[in-house]
Amino acid sequence: MTRCLHTVGAWRRLRVRADLDNLEIGFVPTLGALHRGHASLIERSLAQNDVTVLSVFLNPTQFSDGADLESYPASFFADRETAERLGVDYLFCPSSEEMYPNGYRYRVVENELSRSLCGEHRPGHFDGVLTVVLKLLHIIRPTRAYFGEKDFQQLELVRGLVRDFFLDVAIVACPTLRHEDGLAVSSRNALLSRPQRRQAALFAALLGSRRQPREIRRELEAKGFEVEYIQDSTHRRFGAVRLGGIRLIDNVPLDSLMEETR
Ligand code: AMP
């Protein structure tokens, strides 16, 4: 049975009582609205550790746009059921007050990578991400923490955080889980209408094609997408678009690009 913990104190007491220090702990941090992508991280953690902790926390500091936070799909009861079904041992689901008892006075700021790509379009986003990840890693104290390549920039920044602050945790990168039509599975996909959902597959198809970023941008814009960026960097191609105001991001390794669009 999955045990739910709502406070830092409850988890810390349990960690001592259950003598978890001698066990390998896998940790999967999420914003909730769990889907198959999250499940793939959880399953990896279950396979590699004695105990798996899942966190569901809709972190307000990583949303620079209030409307985006308001519309983010939240489904706590469904998430608890998913955790139960997958065999998660502990579900950590704190309130904002629990995670930010002092407001947002102290924060982690990264000055290079976090300013590019998504960071250019979502100011402060990665400061919020890194701050909450640092807090969560300190609270849970896992052996391994699982992050998806779907958010590749986030994964790289978390790796840097762990290196620069000498955190004693292994970061495990997990491949992007996709729908059959190629669209990366994402909580935000639930906000797309049926026609938008069909159209969204074009984003994945073009990003994974051999066309140049400029051509991809032009084609997506012609099809009604609002393009934030399509950019090649460090052997990967990154993209972020909006479809009817709903933000989609994706990335692929450059050496996987296909000759023809799917
Ligand atoms: P989120 O709840 O969106 O913050 O995601 C929590 C974790 O799940 C992050 O490490 C994401 O990169 C990862 N994740 C989200 N979607 C996918 C996906 N389609 N495939 C693999 N990992 C994912």
Side-chain angles (χ1 to χ4, degrees):
M1 215 183 87
T2 306
R3 210 150 144 207
C4 258
L5 298 134
H6 298 274
T7 65
V8 176
W11 164 252
R12 288 199 163 147
R13 280 191 296 277
L14 184 139
R15 206 178 188 290
V16 174
R17 241 185 294 126
D19 203 14
L20 298 186
D21 260 346
N22 300 319
L23 299 179
E24 299 204 331
I25 301 177
F27 175 47
V28 182
T30 76
L31 299 174
L34 299 180
H35 51 62
R36 290 192 292 123
H38 298 122
S40 69
L41 272 59
I42 293 168
E43 280 158 2
R44 183 102 173 253
S45 171
L46 288 165
Q48 293 182 332
N49 300 279
D50 300 311
V51 164
T52 288
V53 182
L54 167 72
S55 69
V56 168
F57 177 59
L58 192 50
N59 175 36
T61 64
Q62 71 188 70
F63 288 82
S64 35
D65 170 359
D68 190 22
L69 174 60
E70 280 301 306
S71 68
Y72 200 88
S75 53
F76 180 70
F77 294 105
D79 287 349
R80 201 170 59 184
E81 262 179 49
T82 303
E84 193 87 50
R85 178 171 50 79
L86 292 171
V88 166
D89 299 286
Y90 301 105
L91 175 58
F92 182 60
C93 38
S95 65
S96 292
E97 294 71 30
E98 184 70 16
M99 291 299 284
Y100 293 95
N102 220 345
Y104 191 28
R105 272 182 63 199
Y106 294 89
R107 63 185 74 177
V108 178
V109 178
E110 193 277 349
N111 286 308
E112 282 182 32
L113 177 57
S114 69
R115 303 293 157 103
S116 65
L117 301 169
C118 283
E120 217 180 306
H121 298 268
R122 302 182 76 190
H125 166 66
F126 287 118
D127 296 351
V129 169
L130 293 173
T131 302
V132 83
V133 167
L134 182 64
K135 284 171 185 260
L136 287 167
L137 292 176
H138 274 310
I139 296 164
I140 306 297
R141 289 202 286 125
T143 318
R144 299 181 187 86
Y146 295 79
F147 289 85
E149 289 182 347
K150 151 109 185 348
D151 301 280
F152 201 84
Q153 193 179 4
Q154 167 176 287
L155 168 66
E156 284 295 286
L157 284 161
V158 168
R159 280 182 171 139
L161 173 85
V162 165
R163 255 193 327 265
D164 267 29
F165 288 102
F166 307 101
L167 304 182
D168 193 14
V169 58
I171 300 300
V172 183
C174 303
T176 303
L177 207 91
R178 296 177 182 281
H179 291 284
E180 249 175 39
D181 61 7
L183 181 68
V185 177
S186 163
S187 304
R188 284 193 169 91
N189 294 352
L191 302 172
L192 297 167
S193 67
R194 214 175 267 210
Q196 283 171 339
R197 170 63 193 81
R198 273 197 298 274
Q199 205 184 347
L202 187 65
F203 171 46
L206 284 171
L207 202 73
S209 76
R210 285 230 176 156
R211 302 192 197 184
Q212 288 306 305
R214 215 173 326 116
E215 281 179 79
I216 297 175
R217 169 183 282 272
R218 216 177 304 127
E219 190 148 340
L220 285 170
E221 282 174 349
K223 291 279 171 22
F225 289 83
E226 192 188 314
V227 178
E228 282 188 3
Y229 63 85
I230 305 288
Q231 199 175 315
D232 293 350
S233 169
T234 57
H235 311 295
R236 290 188 97 82
R237 173 161 293 169
F238 295 84
V241 296
R242 284 178 188 272
L243 195 52
I246 297 146
R247 193 164 185 277
L248 306 171
I249 64 167
D250 201 351
N251 69 89
V252 289
L254 282 176
D255 62 12
S256 73
L257 297 184
M258 308 241 222
E259 200 63 68
E260 288 300 317
T261 54
R262 277 165 276 164

